[in-house]
Amino acid sequence: MLCAQYNYLLADRFNCYEQNRCPVNACPLVCYLPELRDNPDYYSQKKKLPLLKKTHPHYSDIHSQVLQDVVKRVKVTFDRILRGDSNGKRSGRPRFKSRDRYRTFTYPQIKDDCISRSVISLPKLGSIKLILHISTSKQQSNCCQNMTL
């Protein structure tokens, strides 16, 4: 479901970019100018998430912060083609993700006592077996889960 949401949000940004990218002074004299759409940015796409949960009940099983992180991923990947990274190097056009390529999700906030021995307790998922490679500190505030199939 997160992969489908990522692809939908990315397609929404691509559609807006394709419709609005031609400047008025560069168009031929006789052409149809479509009505400009509002640019879907991070906050407008994030605002649509409660409506998404109402219209598609299966999305209510996903924690809200995990869905918000999907919107953040789309923002970061789309901004890289427009602005570039910290060195100014622009990336190519972001790709749509297949189910095999979208394998991680992030909880931006976790409780301090969510990890006990080899089990992690995540909201709306329950207890999951954990292989801990690096000891965690009390200051860690997010959790990234990698799904292996």
Side-chain angles (χ1 to χ4, degrees), residues 125-140:
L125 287 180
S127 298
I128 300 173
K129 287 183 182 178
L130 173 70
I131 300 173
L132 194 60
H133 296 283
I134 301 171
S135 63
T136 60
S137 65
K138 294 288 181 184
Q139 296 177 351
Q140 183 176 0

Side-chain angles (χ1 to χ4, degrees), residues 98-116:
S98 67
R99 289 176 62 187
D100 298 335
R101 302 280 298 163
Y102 198 94
R103 295 174 21 167
T104 60
F105 57 93
T106 303
Y107 281 88
Q109 296 175 338
I110 59 171
K111 294 182 180 180
D112 292 335
D113 59 346
C114 69
I115 298 175
S116 63

Side-chain angles (χ1 to χ4, degrees), residues 10-22:
L10 191 62
D12 189 32
R13 293 226 180 173
F14 280 145
N15 291 338
C16 180
Y17 180 71
E18 291 295 324
Q19 289 177 359
N20 296 344
R21 75 178 178 160
C22 181

Side-chain angles (χ1 to χ4, degrees), residues 1 52-54 56-63 67 124:
M1 287 188 288
L52 174 75
K53 285 188 169 191
K54 289 179 184 176
H56 298 86
H58 53 277
Y59 278 104
S60 63
D61 295 337
I62 302 172
H63 197 269
L67 280 174
K124 294 199 174 187

Side-chain angles (χ1 to χ4, degrees), residues 10 14 76-82 84 89-95:
L10 191 62
F14 280 145
V76 168
T77 57
F78 198 80
D79 286 349
R80 276 196 198 126
I81 66 168
L82 299 177
K89 183 179 178 185
R90 288 178 154 186
S91 300
R93 182 179 168 132
R95 297 179 182 170

